[in-house]
Amino acid sequence: MGTLNPFRYRTINRILPFGFIWFFTGSVFMLSDYFATGNKALERGAITLNIETFAFASSAVFIVGLVVGYLETAVVDPRLRNKSFIATIVWKFLIYNVFFVLMMAVLYPIAAALEMNVSLWDIQVKQRFAEFWQSNALYGTSIQLVFSLLVTVLYAEIRDNLGAAVLYNFFTGKYHKPITEERIFMFVDMKASTTIAEQLGHVRYFTFLQRYYNDMADAIIAHWGEVYQYIGDEVVISWPINKGIRNTDCIACFYSLQRAIQRQAPKYNEQFGVVPQFKAGMHMGKVTTGELGALKKELVFTGDVLNTAARIQSLCNEMKTELLISDQLKQALQPNQKYKFNAKGTIALRGKEETIALYAVEEQNKE
């Protein structure tokens, strides 16, 4: 993962589950047909299952799942995101119908040739292919494809609501029992949000926030960040220690967020009459991580590090800086000439005698 582009890494992680889902559902359908029919093709055009056809079909549905995952993640869903629910369903129905017809036109002749142990161009393959389009086997295959598609679309919706990392951890059971780990947290808070909300009104302000968080997304991904929570006009971003300090990514993320918003400044001014600005506080330390909730489970971090990071962020205005970090985080970061750290004194932690030193961060060589 060290040299892998974070966008490519994220894309691979988002697409691979589609392949496994299609492999699993396809295998279940094929094996159930095998045991139900006694491995006899009861319909004209149906393929009899043997080792060769099962191996080919399993590999094929895995690849088809990957293609569906790519289409759903990178092509279809982004283009239909602003469509109504009905329009989205209709468009997806049309797009995937065309895709499935093309897929069957390519894959069925290969499976038939393997079953009959003849050349792909043999007249028997053409005859079987013609029979397939007029048989009940076509409907059975279509039902299997639609079912697999529904499962993957449902998975995609759950993944997008919970987050891929959270969903993966739920499936693997990593956090079924609380564990202790070290993480970096950055609390990013919008400046003058109350004033902006009053100027725009509730509905336009909500649209403003949607645009704001969408424009931040690529910068967070580019620096291996994970969104922990959206809290109104505040977003909490987190890193495992190794990812956050490598290449000073946790600090670089803040300035990438600033540039991402500034690139969209003309559009914000045109649509809302204001460009969002923000400040951030960062800290690192141990947290207890686990699943909480009876009616709705969530992955939750608990520990003083979050309270301290939030407190640091709240001091940005008082200390006249946009990015304020703790001494613990500064000491853990690799030397980087791109950033200057200015000591801002110490603060007492709430409810404790312990104090913590703070540093304002400045970017030396702005891109």
Side-chain angles (χ1 to χ4, degrees):
M1 186 188 69
T3 58
L4 186 61
N5 179 286
F7 290 97
R8 191 169 301 158
Y9 177 78
R10 182 172 185 266
T11 299
I12 292 171
N13 277 346
R14 287 166 67 84
I15 291 175
L16 266 180
F18 286 84
F20 291 120
I21 290 171
W22 276 72
F23 175 82
F24 176 76
T25 56
S27 297
V28 168
F29 273 116
M30 285 187 287
L31 291 174
S32 63
D33 286 345
Y34 174 87
F35 290 113
T37 63
N39 198 28
K40 295 179 180 178
L42 303 181
E43 286 289 336
R44 291 182 310 127
I47 300 293
T48 302
L49 199 66
N50 55 41
I51 293 177
E52 289 80 10
T53 55
F54 180 76
F56 169 74
S58 299
S59 302
V61 294
F62 179 74
I63 294 171
V64 168
L66 295 179
V67 175
V68 169
Y70 175 77
L71 290 174
E72 184 68 19
T73 300
V75 180
V76 177
D77 194 58
R79 285 165 175 76
L80 298 179
R81 192 165 291 158
N82 296 323
K83 301 286 186 182
S84 68
F85 177 76
I86 297 299
T88 299
I89 295 298
V90 171
W91 273 108
K92 285 190 176 183
F93 177 79
L94 294 174
I95 291 169
Y96 287 119
N97 261 341
V98 172
F99 171 69
F100 289 151
V101 169
L102 293 174
M103 180 197 68
M104 287 189 284
V106 172
L107 298 179
Y108 182 90
I110 300 174
L114 286 172
E115 180 202 6
M116 296 185 291
N117 197 27
V118 297
S119 166
L120 181 61
W121 315 112
D122 193 284
I123 188 64
Q124 297 179 72
V125 174
K126 295 179 182 178
Q127 291 173 345
R128 288 287 297 278
F129 190 44
E131 291 175 351
F132 171 73
W133 291 103
Q134 303 172 45
S135 70
N136 288 332
L138 171 64
Y139 301 116
T141 303
S142 299
I143 291 171
Q144 294 176 23
L145 294 174
V146 170
F147 177 80
S148 297
L149 178 63
L150 288 174
V151 172
T152 48
V153 169
L154 178 62
Y155 161 79
E157 289 297 323
I158 295 173
R159 176 201 64 193
D160 290 344
N161 279 278
L162 291 180
V166 173
L167 187 59
Y168 172 78
N169 291 326
F170 280 155
F171 280 134
T172 59
K174 180 179 180 181
Y175 296 119
H176 287 349
K177 292 184 178 180
I179 65 172
T180 300
E181 57 184 347
E182 279 199 292
R183 298 187 73 92
I184 298 168
F185 289 91
M186 175 163 67
F187 281 66
V188 182
D189 185 56
M190 187 188 298
K191 295 180 180 180
S193 58
T194 303
T195 302
I196 295 172
E198 290 174 351
Q199 291 175 349
L200 297 179
H202 294 300
V203 176
R204 289 190 68 210
Y205 181 64
F206 191 87
T207 304
F208 177 79
L209 284 180
Q210 285 181 318
R211 176 68 183 273
Y212 173 65
Y213 288 137
N214 286 341
D215 289 339
M216 283 182 162
D218 283 351
I220 296 171
I221 295 170
H223 296 285
W224 303 98
E226 301 169 10
V227 172
Y228 171 44
Q229 287 179 330
Y230 294 108
I231 312 169
D233 60 357
E234 183 176 63
V235 57
V236 182
I237 304 169
S238 176
W239 291 263
I241 291 293
N242 63 320
K243 288 184 180 180
I245 64 175
R246 185 182 57 218
N247 301 321
T248 325
D249 266 315
C250 61
I251 301 294
C253 181
F254 175 82
Y255 293 103
S256 290
L257 290 172
Q258 280 193 333
R259 285 188 283 273
I261 297 300
Q262 285 304 314
R263 281 195 294 269
Q264 301 300 321
K267 294 182 179 179
Y268 278 103
N269 277 320
E270 180 182 348
Q271 187 174 358
F272 304 105
V274 62
V275 179
Q277 296 180 321
F278 51 86
K279 56 189 184 295
M282 301 183 70
H283 186 41
M284 62 172 282
K286 290 183 178 180
V287 290
T288 299
T289 311
E291 297 172 16
L292 278 183
L295 301 178
K296 179 179 179 294
K297 288 188 180 296
E298 290 186 5
L299 187 65
V300 175
F301 300 114
T302 60
D304 287 342
V305 59
L306 286 102
N307 296 328
T308 303
R311 174 86 190 282
I312 291 172
Q313 181 274 123
S314 71
L315 293 170
C316 284
N317 288 342
E318 180 183 328
M319 297 190 173
K320 296 181 173 57
T321 184
E322 294 181 326
L323 178 58
L324 196 61
I325 71 171
S326 67
D327 179 63
Q328 288 95 318
L329 178 56
K330 176 182 177 296
Q331 298 303 325
L333 292 172
Q334 299 169 355
N336 192 323
Q337 297 300 317
K338 191 173 182 179
Y339 305 108
K340 181 181 178 182
F341 299 91
N342 301 313
K344 287 291 184 177
T346 61
I347 60 167
L349 299 180
R350 289 172 183 165
K352 296 187 176 183
E353 297 181 359
E354 181 184 355
T355 60
I356 184 171
L358 300 179
Y359 290 85
V361 184
E362 292 181 17
E363 191 176 27
Q364 296 288 85
N365 302 308
K366 296 185 178 182
E367 295 179 3

